[in-house]
Amino acid sequence: MPYMTRETCKADLARTVSVLPNLRYVDLPEGFYSDDASSNILKNELQSRCPDIRKLKYLAGAEGSFTALAQYRPWQNMETLELSGLSVEPSTLLYVLTSFPVLRQLKLVDLPWLDDQIFTSNPSIPPFPPINKLTLEIIPNVSAHGLVHYLSRPDTREALASLSLTNTGILPTTLHEVLARAPCLASLSISETVDRSFPLSPTPPLSSRSLRTLHYEILSTNTKFNALSPPSETYYNYLSTSLLSGTLPSLSSLYAFSPSLPSLLLLLPPPTAPFALKDGNGSYTGLRHPLKLYTKSTPELEWDLT
């Protein structure tokens, strides 16, 4: 729906949705998502006349209508939900999320109050529900420890197939802990800026039998360094070690902010070569299958298939 149409014809839009009881997806004016008074009639019509809505978002300012969802439960078939900038109690968030019995995709953005406690068990509060596709952006207080606890439940670890992390407390150095608890994860994206090199202490490689697509987008906070290479390159050294260790056997597509990554992967013998290095069990290490590698040096550029 054209932007000006949905922003200036709210009354017409309200009358339209009132006669569409089977409506599932609709473009709504921006004010709808933040409880702007000009969208109240439209919101009332959508809640009372359109019980099959499948996708919505709530932005800063919509705390009132969001909290009411736990009580009125207008959309029991909700599948995709985005929450950005909301300020609510953690218990309110859990009550609302569990009011959507078939919720599959959840995006949480700019919620600094959200921390690992959201994943802990409490007999008096509903648990964080199983999600198929979970996106966390600007959630600095959720760490790998919290997500690992979330994935300790059979229902959650079997449900999670896609995970996207941008500027969270789940760091590249602890990503291996999450992968170890996510046996059904097929797609993983991590985007972080770093100002120091990858730790020298031993770190297990990234390991997953199910992972097929990986976005590993690590950038340095500053491009001016006295050293030969920026700190982010040490994270790609760790990534290349993981790839060549053979612990990501199903990975078919990799996206990375490192033009040097292809060179790192080619320093060792080609896949399944007779002279490839061997591990302690006698099996060859290195890339064991074709891998589509997409690289670029800055976010503004297009991906380059190597």
Side-chain angles (χ1 to χ4, degrees), residues 31-92:
F32 181 97
Y33 304 115
S34 57
D35 281 4
D36 186 88
S38 64
S39 297
N40 285 347
I41 295 177
L42 173 59
K43 180 166 292 187
N44 291 335
E45 292 292 341
L46 199 70
Q47 289 180 336
S48 61
R49 304 296 184 97
C50 304
D52 205 24
I53 291 296
R54 304 294 178 93
K55 182 178 181 180
L56 271 183
K57 63 181 177 180
Y58 286 82
L59 309 179
E63 287 80 3
S65 60
F66 177 76
T67 301
L69 291 173
Q71 179 179 358
Y72 297 106
R73 303 192 173 203
W75 299 299
Q76 289 296 280
N77 293 322
M78 184 73 68
E79 296 176 344
T80 303
L81 185 65
E82 177 182 344
L83 309 177
S84 178
L86 289 179
S87 296
V88 297
E89 290 294 324
S91 58
T92 299

Side-chain angles (χ1 to χ4, degrees), residues 172 192-198 216-223 225 227-240 256-261 264 296-297:
E192 293 287 341
T193 54
V194 297
D195 58 5
R196 61 184 63 187
S197 298
F198 199 92
Y216 193 85
E217 302 172 6
I218 311 300
L219 290 172
S220 298
T221 55
N222 194 330
T223 57
F225 296 96
L228 295 178
S229 61
S232 58
E233 284 304 303
T234 61
Y235 291 79
Y236 292 104
N237 291 339
Y238 168 71
L239 175 61
S240 64
F257 285 165
S258 175
S260 65
L261 186 58
L264 293 174
K296 59 181 176 180
S297 56

Side-chain angles (χ1 to χ4, degrees), residues 136-140 142 165-173 189-195 215-221 232 235-236 257:
L136 303 178
E137 296 182 5
I138 319 176
I139 313 287
V142 168
L165 308 167
T166 301
N167 297 331
T168 70
I170 303 168
L171 305 176
T173 53
S189 175
I190 183 168
S191 179
E192 293 287 341
T193 54
V194 297
D195 58 5
H215 283 254
Y216 193 85
E217 302 172 6
I218 311 300
L219 290 172
S220 298
T221 55
S232 58
Y235 291 79
Y236 292 104
F257 285 165

Side-chain angles (χ1 to χ4, degrees), residues 2 5 7 9 62 70 99 126 129 136 143 159 182 187 202 209 231 233 246-247 259 280 302:
T5 300
E7 293 297 328
C9 302
S99 73
L136 303 178
S143 71
S187 176
R209 292 184 177 274
E233 284 304 303
T247 53
E302 295 293 327

Side-chain angles (χ1 to χ4, degrees), residues 244 268-279 282-288:
L244 295 170
L268 292 187
T272 66
F275 50 87
L277 298 176
K278 294 183 178 182
D279 60 22
S283 60
Y284 290 110
T285 62
L287 294 174
R288 303 177 184 178

Side-chain angles (χ1 to χ4, degrees), residues 139-171:
I139 313 287
N141 295 316
V142 168
S143 71
H145 177 76
L147 203 54
V148 165
H149 185 81
Y150 171 66
L151 294 171
S152 65
R153 293 160 39 197
D155 60 337
T156 55
R157 64 172 175 261
E158 292 172 6
L160 188 63
S162 177
L163 177 64
S164 179
L165 308 167
T166 301
N167 297 331
T168 70
I170 303 168
L171 305 176

